[in-house]
Amino acid sequence: MALYQDQQLKLYNSIAGEKQVFKPIHEGRIGMYVCGPTVYSNVHLGNCRTFISFDMIYRYLTHLGYKVRYVRNITDAGHLTDDADEGEDKISKKARLEKLEPMEVVQQYTLDFHNVMQRFNNFPPSIEPTATGHIVEQIEIIKTILDKGYAYERNGSIYFDVLKFNKDHQYGKLSGRNLEDMITSTRELEAQSEKDNPQDFALWKKASPAHIMRWPSPWGDGFPGWHLECTVMSSKYLGETFDIHGGGMDLKFPHHECEIAQGEAAHGHSPVNYWMHANMLTLEGKKMSKSTGNSILPQELFSGDNDFMEKAFSPSIVRFFMMQAQYRSVLDFSNDAIMAAEKGLSRLREAISLLDHLKVSKTSTVNIKAWSDKCYAAMNDDFNTPILIAELFEGAKIIHSINEENESITAEDLEVFETTIKAFLYDVLGIKATDQTEDAKGTQHMDAAMKLIIDLRATARARKDWETSDKIRDELQGAGIQLKDGAEGTTYTTK
């Protein structure tokens, strides 16, 4: 029996504004779409938090036994500056500034994104489609929306008719915005646009002569609207209605609102059952911003090359830190907070290392089943990772108590205990069992120390101080380090 059959998962549905019991469309199967990056620059830490949050959600759903099709796109065209319908394409602008082909920009920053996600131990999605790979499908859905009367053409561009749509549906139900209020607040912009209404948004934009990225269409050369891409790719791989759509809180309006409108206009029904949004990351209590200098790239955290943290932190520690806030809560990044996270993760790893040394007997002095149930209860409550981590610390406390007080545990309970604590820390939270960054640093420190010792031994040998030379060799050998003298100098190996 799959674990999900014995668990009741509740998640916060943004469109309902409340936690709801999760019921997938198809028993045992889940379709989940998450808005991926626009690949015109290095992925920043705030974006990383969103992708790490949904990786954790993906991991827990998989842990429960669901077969999850996880689709996360790459936006490589159509996303204009200021997230608007006017201006320059973000990727084209970067290509022009760096004198590159747009696809060179796309390749460079897609590789950077994948590298950072891999370092954070994120699972790759089941499918990772690109906007440029689905131009034909986007043109076809625009034809459908035009045929149904929810869009219009202006000078080679196609715009979604929000007012017409709102007569038959409800525009603004995800963000809680009232269309009349939105129109009133933007009335002065009407004369500056070719749109019938400032709230209308582009499905297809006519390419200016200077626009690098362009494709032929029935309405002339152009490029797709940013919002349309996700509607097309999600419905192609997950169906016209699927279970979960995720993204950052900043995408709720207008991006996700427009996705709902496009889906309902094209297919006649809501495209998604559960909308989920991860909250923002701040730095030292302020919004992260490149323009103000209040930002850190992941690599700057890993290397320690930044002005905010006192030292370098491994990807595992950064990820563990992010898990200490519920994904819907604002999380503030600070030196003290991540230092505390480092100590906490070390404490959990230390406790797990003691599991093999616990005394096993026919009776247990602790109730492991009750503790395990609390771990599941935390995750079943809208993926409440801070409560889960508190329970993992309670588990670590139990381990230390059994070890130090000479208490006992049955072999069956020990197996449940070990399986549960490792599954939640490693498989669900996605923390690596060993920290490769710290291992690499340890190797560097070892090399530096051994170089000093080998140099001291070489000096002793040059003075014909064989007693000291032999003592260094023999003492190292006793510690498991073998020195090898060769024509090119002395090297060492460890047992």
Side-chain angles (χ1 to χ4, degrees):
M1 185 176 74
L3 274 173
Y4 68 79
Q5 294 175 303
D6 195 37
Q7 305 289 331
Q8 186 181 74
L9 173 63
K10 288 186 176 182
L11 55 81
Y12 186 87
N13 191 352
S14 296
I15 202 163
E18 63 180 6
K19 292 179 188 176
Q20 296 179 331
V21 175
F22 175 68
K23 294 180 180 178
I25 296 169
H26 302 290
E27 173 71 24
R29 294 176 176 269
I30 296 173
M32 182 171 78
Y33 184 90
V34 174
C35 291
T38 301
V39 283
Y40 72 101
S41 65
N42 297 109
V43 61
H44 63 74
L45 209 56
N47 288 145
C48 289
R49 187 199 178 190
T50 294
F51 300 128
I52 289 170
S53 293
F54 283 100
D55 178 69
M56 171 271 297
I57 289 168
Y58 177 39
R59 284 169 173 272
Y60 186 60
L61 295 174
T62 303
H63 172 76
L64 290 180
Y66 286 109
K67 184 175 178 59
V68 184
R69 177 177 287 178
Y70 175 21
V71 182
R72 187 187 65 211
N73 73 299
I74 294 288
T75 295
D76 57 354
H79 193 171
L80 304 188
T81 53
D82 299 322
D83 299 345
D85 286 336
E86 305 299 330
E88 196 170 1
D89 182 289
K90 291 185 176 183
I91 292 166
S92 294
K93 181 179 180 180
K94 188 76 169 185
R96 178 175 56 78
L97 291 173
E98 298 192 4
K99 297 182 180 179
L100 298 170
E101 283 290 331
M103 285 301 119
E104 287 184 273
V105 173
V106 167
Q107 178 74 355
Q108 176 184 344
Y109 293 113
T110 299
L111 289 174
D112 169 73
F113 173 69
H114 287 156
N115 177 58
V116 171
M117 291 300 101
Q118 186 177 38
R119 295 199 68 184
F120 275 126
N121 203 29
N122 274 23
F123 286 151
S126 313
I127 303 172
E128 192 173 50
T130 64
T132 56
H134 295 77
I135 299 296
V136 172
E137 292 92 336
Q138 292 178 77
I139 290 173
E140 289 305 310
I141 200 172
I142 292 172
K143 290 178 182 177
T144 299
I145 296 173
L146 279 167
D147 289 343
K148 293 190 175 184
Y150 292 119
Y152 57 90
E153 179 183 359
R154 286 289 182 277
N155 304 318
S157 294
I158 309 296
Y159 294 101
F160 190 91
D161 192 333
V162 172
L163 281 175
K164 176 67 183 298
F165 173 80
N166 202 56
K167 290 179 181 178
D168 306 317
H169 303 268
Q170 181 188 350
Y171 183 78
K173 58 187 173 184
L174 176 64
S175 59
R177 303 190 182 204
N178 180 279
L179 182 57
E180 291 183 1
D181 293 341
M182 286 189 276
I183 292 172
T184 300
S185 65
T186 56
R187 184 77 67 184
E188 67 276 6
L189 299 176
E190 289 186 76
Q192 303 172 23
S193 173
E194 64 185 7
K195 303 176 188 178
D196 288 352
N197 166 41
Q199 298 307 317
D200 296 346
F201 55 88
L203 301 176
W204 185 265
K205 284 289 290 181
K206 179 182 179 180
S208 67
H211 199 93
I212 307 172
M213 305 179 79
R214 56 203 299 138
W215 292 266
S217 80
W219 317 286
D221 283 2
F223 54 93
W226 170 40
H227 312 307
L228 190 69
E229 300 167 0
C230 288
T231 292
V232 165
M233 290 184 278
S234 61
S235 61
K236 176 172 181 175
Y237 297 108
L238 299 176
E240 292 179 2
T241 301
F242 54 94
D243 297 297
I244 297 172
H245 192 313
M249 197 75 75
D250 57 318
L251 297 181
K252 186 182 287 188
F253 186 89
H255 186 53
H256 290 164
E257 198 73 73
C258 294
E259 279 192 64
I260 292 173
Q262 290 165 163
E264 292 185 0
H267 307 304
H269 50 78
S270 178
V272 179
N273 286 348
Y274 301 90
W275 286 90
M276 300 181 68
H277 293 92
N279 216 322
M280 65 186 294
L281 192 68
T282 58
L283 178 61
E284 303 285 1
K286 300 176 184 177
K287 182 179 178 180
M288 285 198 180
S289 170
K290 289 182 182 178
S291 61
T292 62
N294 197 61
S295 67
I296 306 180
L297 291 174
Q299 185 55 44
E300 293 171 339
L301 263 177
F302 306 154
S303 67
D305 185 19
N306 63 80
D307 297 327
F308 298 92
M309 308 300 156
E310 64 182 70
K311 64 171 192 167
F313 294 95
S314 72
S316 287
I317 292 167
V318 178
R319 183 178 177 115
F320 184 70
F321 166 75
M322 291 188 182
M323 292 292 108
Q324 295 192 348
Q326 209 260 359
Y327 75 95
R328 288 191 294 114
S329 302
V330 174
L331 174 62
D332 186 52
F333 216 105
S334 70
N335 183 75
D336 289 347
I338 196 168
M339 289 287 288
E342 182 179 44
K343 291 178 182 177
L345 179 55
S346 177
R347 198 155 66 246
L348 288 177
R349 284 173 167 166
E350 179 187 0
I352 289 173
S353 71
L354 294 174
L355 284 169
D356 292 337
H357 306 288
L358 297 187
K359 180 180 178 182
V360 176
S361 68
K362 293 182 179 180
T363 59
S364 283
T365 55
V366 290
N367 188 339
I368 299 302
K369 177 65 166 59
W371 170 80
S372 178
D373 288 345
K374 288 180 181 179
C375 292
Y376 280 99
M379 289 302 291
N380 289 337
D381 183 20
D382 194 30
F383 311 98
N384 201 325
T385 54
I387 298 298
L388 170 65
I389 289 172
E391 293 300 339
L392 295 182
F393 281 132
E394 185 62 29
K397 184 179 177 182
I398 293 170
I399 292 171
H400 281 289
S401 176
I402 294 172
N403 183 61
E404 294 167 7
E405 303 298 327
N406 201 29
E407 296 176 349
S408 60
I409 188 170
T410 66
E412 293 79 10
D413 275 353
L414 179 59
E415 183 178 358
V416 172
F417 202 9
E418 185 171 9
T419 300
T420 302
I421 197 168
K422 287 182 177 179
F424 278 108
L425 186 63
Y426 302 150
D427 299 340
V428 175
L429 296 184
I431 307 302
K432 291 183 178 180
T434 57
D435 203 312
Q436 293 177 342
T437 300
E438 290 176 357
D439 289 347
K441 282 189 174 181
T443 300
Q444 292 173 2
H445 294 159
M446 179 75 167
D447 287 342
M450 285 305 302
K451 183 180 183 302
L452 175 62
I453 292 172
I454 288 169
D455 288 345
L456 289 173
R457 180 170 175 265
T459 300
R461 286 161 66 88
R463 293 199 308 261
K464 295 185 179 183
D465 183 359
W466 309 119
E467 182 179 352
T468 299
S469 171
D470 291 343
K471 182 178 181 181
I472 290 173
R473 180 198 61 204
D474 295 342
E475 294 270 348
L476 288 174
Q477 188 169 0
I481 301 170
Q482 180 75 46
L483 292 183
K484 293 183 179 181
D485 296 315
E488 296 181 4
T490 303
T491 60
Y492 80 95
T493 58
T494 57
K495 295 179 182 178

Short mmCIF file of all heavy atoms in Angstrom, two decimals, residues 15 44 54 57 68 85 144 150 156 177 181 225 267 271 311 365 371 384 394 397 417 440 447 467 477 490:
data_model
loop_
_atom_site.label_atom_id
_atom_site.label_comp_id
_atom_site.label_asym_id
_atom_site.label_seq_id
_atom_site.Cartn_x
_atom_site.Cartn_y
_atom_site.Cartn_z
N ILE A 15 -5.91 30.15 -4.83
CA ILE A 15 -7.14 30.63 -5.46
C ILE A 15 -8.35 30.51 -4.51
O ILE A 15 -9.31 31.26 -4.63
CB ILE A 15 -7.41 29.90 -6.79
CG1 ILE A 15 -8.33 30.75 -7.68
CG2 ILE A 15 -7.96 28.50 -6.58
CD1 ILE A 15 -8.33 30.32 -9.13
N HIS A 44 19.28 34.14 -9.29
CA HIS A 44 19.56 34.75 -7.99
C HIS A 44 18.95 33.93 -6.85
O HIS A 44 18.14 33.01 -7.06
CB HIS A 44 19.11 36.21 -7.94
CG HIS A 44 17.63 36.43 -8.10
ND1 HIS A 44 16.72 36.15 -7.11
CD2 HIS A 44 16.91 36.92 -9.14
CE1 HIS A 44 15.50 36.46 -7.51
NE2 HIS A 44 15.58 36.92 -8.74
N PHE A 54 9.78 24.02 -4.27
CA PHE A 54 8.99 23.07 -5.05
C PHE A 54 9.71 21.75 -5.27
O PHE A 54 9.06 20.72 -5.49
CB PHE A 54 8.54 23.72 -6.37
CG PHE A 54 7.40 24.67 -6.17
CD1 PHE A 54 7.60 26.04 -6.10
CD2 PHE A 54 6.11 24.19 -5.99
CE1 PHE A 54 6.55 26.91 -5.86
CE2 PHE A 54 5.05 25.04 -5.74
CZ PHE A 54 5.26 26.42 -5.69
N ILE A 57 8.62 19.91 -2.24
CA ILE A 57 7.23 19.45 -2.42
C ILE A 57 7.20 18.23 -3.35
O ILE A 57 6.53 17.23 -3.07
CB ILE A 57 6.37 20.61 -2.98
CG1 ILE A 57 6.18 21.67 -1.88
CG2 ILE A 57 5.02 20.09 -3.50
CD1 ILE A 57 5.59 22.98 -2.38
N VAL A 68 4.67 11.38 -9.95
CA VAL A 68 4.55 12.81 -10.24
C VAL A 68 5.18 13.14 -11.59
O VAL A 68 6.35 12.81 -11.82
CB VAL A 68 5.22 13.67 -9.14
CG1 VAL A 68 4.97 15.16 -9.41
CG2 VAL A 68 4.70 13.29 -7.76
N ASP A 85 4.05 44.47 -21.68
CA ASP A 85 3.83 44.17 -23.10
C ASP A 85 4.61 45.10 -24.00
O ASP A 85 4.58 44.96 -25.22
CB ASP A 85 2.34 44.28 -23.44
CG ASP A 85 1.54 43.12 -22.88
OD1 ASP A 85 2.14 42.05 -22.67
OD2 ASP A 85 0.33 43.27 -22.65
N THR A 144 -7.37 29.70 -31.55
CA THR A 144 -8.55 29.24 -30.80
C THR A 144 -9.17 30.37 -30.00
O THR A 144 -10.40 30.56 -30.01
CB THR A 144 -8.15 28.08 -29.86
OG1 THR A 144 -7.65 26.99 -30.63
CG2 THR A 144 -9.34 27.61 -29.04
N TYR A 150 -12.27 36.09 -27.70
CA TYR A 150 -11.64 36.65 -26.52
C TYR A 150 -10.31 37.35 -26.82
O TYR A 150 -9.53 37.62 -25.91
CB TYR A 150 -11.40 35.56 -25.47
CG TYR A 150 -12.67 35.02 -24.87
CD1 TYR A 150 -13.01 33.67 -25.01
CD2 TYR A 150 -13.55 35.84 -24.16
CE1 TYR A 150 -14.17 33.16 -24.46
CE2 TYR A 150 -14.72 35.34 -23.60
CZ TYR A 150 -15.03 34.00 -23.76
OH TYR A 150 -16.18 33.50 -23.22
N GLY A 156 -0.71 43.77 -36.34
CA GLY A 156 0.15 42.60 -36.33
C GLY A 156 0.37 41.99 -34.96
O GLY A 156 1.06 40.97 -34.84
N ARG A 177 -8.15 40.83 -7.27
CA ARG A 177 -8.27 42.19 -7.80
C ARG A 177 -9.59 42.37 -8.54
O ARG A 177 -10.09 41.45 -9.17
CB ARG A 177 -7.10 42.50 -8.74
CG ARG A 177 -5.75 42.32 -8.06
CD ARG A 177 -4.62 42.87 -8.89
NE ARG A 177 -3.32 42.64 -8.26
CZ ARG A 177 -2.24 43.36 -8.48
NH1 ARG A 177 -2.29 44.37 -9.34
NH2 ARG A 177 -1.11 43.09 -7.87
N ASP A 181 -11.76 48.40 -10.71
CA ASP A 181 -10.77 49.22 -9.99
C ASP A 181 -9.46 49.31 -10.77
O ASP A 181 -8.82 50.37 -10.82
CB ASP A 181 -10.49 48.61 -8.60
CG ASP A 181 -11.69 48.71 -7.68
OD1 ASP A 181 -12.58 49.54 -7.96
OD2 ASP A 181 -11.74 47.94 -6.69
N GLY A 225 3.64 36.07 -26.41
CA GLY A 225 3.52 36.74 -25.13
C GLY A 225 4.04 35.84 -24.01
O GLY A 225 3.91 34.61 -24.08
N HIS A 267 -10.17 26.64 -23.37
CA HIS A 267 -10.72 25.31 -23.11
C HIS A 267 -12.08 25.32 -22.42
O HIS A 267 -12.72 24.27 -22.33
CB HIS A 267 -9.73 24.51 -22.25
CG HIS A 267 -8.34 24.46 -22.82
ND1 HIS A 267 -8.08 24.00 -24.09
CD2 HIS A 267 -7.13 24.84 -22.31
CE1 HIS A 267 -6.78 24.07 -24.34
NE2 HIS A 267 -6.18 24.59 -23.27
N PRO A 271 -7.84 25.81 -15.63
CA PRO A 271 -6.72 24.95 -15.99
C PRO A 271 -6.07 24.22 -14.83
O PRO A 271 -5.39 23.21 -15.03
CB PRO A 271 -5.73 25.93 -16.63
CG PRO A 271 -6.02 27.24 -15.97
CD PRO A 271 -7.49 27.25 -15.72
N LYS A 311 31.77 33.92 6.39
CA LYS A 311 32.54 32.84 5.79
C LYS A 311 31.72 32.18 4.69
O LYS A 311 30.58 32.58 4.43
CB LYS A 311 32.93 31.81 6.85
CG LYS A 311 31.74 31.10 7.47
CD LYS A 311 32.23 29.95 8.35
CE LYS A 311 31.06 29.06 8.73
NZ LYS A 311 31.52 27.80 9.31
N THR A 365 12.38 2.12 25.42
CA THR A 365 12.02 3.11 26.44
C THR A 365 11.44 4.38 25.82
O THR A 365 11.14 5.33 26.53
CB THR A 365 13.27 3.47 27.28
OG1 THR A 365 14.31 3.91 26.39
CG2 THR A 365 13.75 2.27 28.07
N TRP A 371 6.54 9.59 17.48
CA TRP A 371 7.44 10.61 16.93
C TRP A 371 7.37 10.62 15.40
O TRP A 371 7.31 11.68 14.78
CB TRP A 371 8.87 10.32 17.40
CG TRP A 371 9.90 11.16 16.69
CD1 TRP A 371 10.24 12.45 16.95
CD2 TRP A 371 10.70 10.73 15.58
NE1 TRP A 371 11.22 12.86 16.07
CE2 TRP A 371 11.51 11.84 15.21
CE3 TRP A 371 10.82 9.55 14.86
CZ2 TRP A 371 12.42 11.78 14.17
CZ3 TRP A 371 11.73 9.48 13.81
CH2 TRP A 371 12.52 10.59 13.47
N ASN A 384 4.94 21.82 6.14
CA ASN A 384 5.45 22.69 7.20
C ASN A 384 6.85 22.24 7.64
O ASN A 384 7.02 21.56 8.66
CB ASN A 384 4.49 22.71 8.39
CG ASN A 384 4.68 23.93 9.25
OD1 ASN A 384 5.80 24.41 9.42
ND2 ASN A 384 3.60 24.46 9.80
N GLU A 394 13.99 16.85 17.85
CA GLU A 394 13.48 16.03 18.96
C GLU A 394 13.99 14.60 18.81
O GLU A 394 14.35 13.96 19.79
CB GLU A 394 11.94 16.06 18.96
CG GLU A 394 11.31 15.34 20.14
CD GLU A 394 11.67 15.95 21.49
OE1 GLU A 394 11.94 17.17 21.56
OE2 GLU A 394 11.70 15.19 22.48
N LYS A 397 17.49 14.47 19.91
CA LYS A 397 17.52 14.49 21.38
C LYS A 397 17.29 13.09 21.93
O LYS A 397 17.96 12.67 22.89
CB LYS A 397 16.45 15.46 21.89
CG LYS A 397 16.43 15.65 23.39
CD LYS A 397 15.35 16.66 23.78
CE LYS A 397 15.25 16.81 25.29
NZ LYS A 397 14.16 17.77 25.65
N PHE A 417 13.05 4.27 13.32
CA PHE A 417 13.69 5.53 13.69
C PHE A 417 14.69 5.95 12.62
O PHE A 417 14.67 7.08 12.12
CB PHE A 417 14.39 5.34 15.03
CG PHE A 417 14.64 6.61 15.80
CD1 PHE A 417 14.11 7.83 15.39
CD2 PHE A 417 15.41 6.59 16.95
CE1 PHE A 417 14.33 8.99 16.10
CE2 PHE A 417 15.65 7.74 17.67
CZ PHE A 417 15.11 8.95 17.24
N ALA A 440 35.74 18.82 0.29
CA ALA A 440 36.77 19.40 -0.58
C ALA A 440 37.69 20.32 0.22
O ALA A 440 38.91 20.31 0.04
CB ALA A 440 36.11 20.16 -1.72
N ASP A 447 46.08 18.64 2.41
CA ASP A 447 47.20 18.82 1.48
C ASP A 447 48.18 19.86 1.99
O ASP A 447 49.41 19.69 1.91
CB ASP A 447 46.68 19.23 0.10
CG ASP A 447 46.01 18.07 -0.64
OD1 ASP A 447 46.24 16.92 -0.26
OD2 ASP A 447 45.27 18.35 -1.60
N GLU A 467 67.07 10.32 12.23
CA GLU A 467 66.17 9.97 13.34
C GLU A 467 64.84 10.73 13.22
O GLU A 467 63.77 10.14 13.31
CB GLU A 467 66.84 10.27 14.68
CG GLU A 467 65.96 9.88 15.87
CD GLU A 467 66.65 10.15 17.20
OE1 GLU A 467 67.84 10.51 17.19
OE2 GLU A 467 65.97 10.02 18.23
N GLN A 477 52.76 6.84 9.29
CA GLN A 477 52.31 5.51 8.88
C GLN A 477 51.38 4.92 9.95
O GLN A 477 50.37 4.28 9.63
CB GLN A 477 53.51 4.60 8.65
CG GLN A 477 53.13 3.25 8.04
CD GLN A 477 54.34 2.47 7.57
OE1 GLN A 477 55.48 2.93 7.70
NE2 GLN A 477 54.11 1.29 7.01
N THR A 490 58.47 13.77 -2.65
CA THR A 490 57.70 12.90 -1.74
C THR A 490 56.22 13.18 -1.88
O THR A 490 55.79 14.33 -1.86
CB THR A 490 58.14 13.10 -0.27
OG1 THR A 490 59.55 12.87 -0.17
CG2 THR A 490 57.40 12.17 0.66
#
